[in-house]
Amino acid sequence: MLDVSKELEGRPFTRVADFSRDELELVLDTAARMKRAPREDQDLLPGRSLGMIFQKPSTRTRVSFEVGITQLGGHALYLRSDDLQLGRGETIKDTAVVLSRYLDAIMIRTFAQKDVEELARNASIPVINGLTDSAHPCQALADVLTIRERLGRIEGVRVAYLGAGHNVCSSLMVAVARLGGSFVAATPPGYEPDEKALAIARESGAQVDVTNDPEEAVREADVLYTDVWTSMGQEEERERRLRDLAGYGITSELVAKAADGAIVLHCLPAHYGEEITEEVLYGPSSAVWDQAENRLHAQKALLALVVR
């Protein structure tokens, strides 16, 4: 059985900034060991129960968390918000207190970040943010794990994010900066990253920039990253967003302007011809499929570290 640190036991993970650089590196080191020796962690969380609350649909988040807790010896409960009294007016506080009596951890995928933080404040068990409109910390763990695997380090790596500076951009930016990399977001005017996330990222002393020029952003970049232009809940804005974001998609021509050996990341699902081309997604620079797999390893490590 793998020897897993108890340093983070009982801790919530509602945003990347919840963890220090050393704590993030602990998660990454644990994930790397689990990935190398997947059969040595099957009894780390025997009999533990993970409640998974979903107010947004999911492929990678649901499957990776459910498989992850199962591989650790526990099990998951899929809880749609409209199946819970939470969907009929029960307070988040009351829900947190009750679920803490049944479960060993909660993962929630919802809209408002404040709801995740309120759940975490009132629960006596770890609460993990599976995605909100302003943060996607578990995706960021998988992202930096992939960068470290492919490039051998994060310290000194330049990451260029292209598109809309929303939840994925904000979480990735803080993770990269806290781990010693540099970050540049190339967005159209009005789509810049959240100012609070920018301030947190810059507190680490890392170089963090914002530009409206995608070619400037990818110059000398080691990592090119993008995400969907129209997220869940923004469907009515789709046509406007397509117009505004035209020119910010990752193409082979743009990859050629990056540093030699640069990799391409995308948290999926992808929309060919919008934020990325199929040629790039399946091309030699793509690390997207390793990145998707690493959701499993990063989250297994997180669960093993925080669940009592």
Side-chain angles (χ1 to χ4, degrees), residues 86-124:
L86 185 64
R88 300 179 61 246
E90 186 167 22
T91 67
I92 293 173
K93 179 178 180 179
D94 290 358
T95 301
V97 172
V98 169
L99 291 183
S100 294
R101 300 293 184 103
Y102 301 144
L103 302 168
D104 298 287
I106 299 169
M107 187 282 298
I108 179 169
R109 182 177 173 94
T110 187
F111 293 91
Q113 179 71 16
K114 64 179 179 60
D115 291 348
V116 176
E117 293 174 358
E118 183 178 354
L119 189 69
R121 280 196 305 273
N122 290 285
S124 58

Side-chain angles (χ1 to χ4, degrees), residues 20 24 35 38 50 64 71 83-85 89 115 122 136 141 167 184 187 189 264 268 275 278 289:
S20 68
L24 290 172
K35 188 172 182 178
L50 171 69
S64 57
Q71 290 183 354
D83 289 335
L84 300 173
Q85 295 296 341
D115 291 348
N122 290 285
H136 201 351
L141 290 178
N167 50 4
V184 56
T187 74
V264 174
L268 301 175
E275 76 279 358
E278 185 174 6
W289 312 111

Side-chain angles (χ1 to χ4, degrees), residues 42-70:
Q42 294 176 340
D43 296 314
L44 285 175
L45 297 178
R48 305 305 200 280
S49 299
L50 171 69
M52 306 189 304
I53 300 174
F54 283 88
Q55 292 185 319
K56 288 186 172 186
S58 167
T59 297
R60 281 150 291 276
T61 298
R62 178 179 179 180
V63 175
S64 57
F65 266 108
E66 190 160 342
V67 170
I69 189 68
T70 301

Side-chain angles (χ1 to χ4, degrees), residues 3-75:
D3 182 23
V4 174
S5 167
K6 298 299 183 182
E7 180 181 339
L8 297 178
E9 193 172 85
R11 291 272 297 278
F13 188 58
T14 65
R15 56 185 187 140
V16 171
D18 288 347
F19 287 0
S20 68
R21 176 172 180 165
D22 287 347
E23 290 166 344
L24 290 172
E25 288 178 340
L26 174 60
V27 178
L28 298 184
D29 290 344
T30 304
R33 286 194 298 140
M34 287 182 164
K35 188 172 182 178
R36 288 193 300 267
R39 300 189 185 281
E40 293 183 20
D41 55 27
Q42 294 176 340
D43 296 314
L44 285 175
L45 297 178
R48 305 305 200 280
S49 299
L50 171 69
M52 306 189 304
I53 300 174
F54 283 88
Q55 292 185 319
K56 288 186 172 186
S58 167
T59 297
R60 281 150 291 276
T61 298
R62 178 179 179 180
V63 175
S64 57
F65 266 108
E66 190 160 342
V67 170
I69 189 68
T70 301
Q71 290 183 354
L72 291 169
H75 65 280

Side-chain angles (χ1 to χ4, degrees), residues 139 143 159-164 166 168-169 172 186 223-229 245 248-251 254 263-271 274-277 280-281 288 291:
Q139 180 64 56
D143 298 340
V159 177
Y161 180 97
L162 285 77
H166 49 33
V168 170
C169 176
L172 177 65
V223 180
L224 278 62
Y225 196 117
T226 193
D227 187 16
V228 297
W229 289 348
L245 288 154
Y248 287 84
I250 297 182
T251 62
L254 206 58
I263 62 171
V264 174
L265 299 178
H266 188 314
C267 59
L268 301 175
H271 296 78
E274 293 181 17
E275 76 279 358
I276 197 167
T277 64
V280 170
L281 191 69
V288 171
Q291 176 191 8

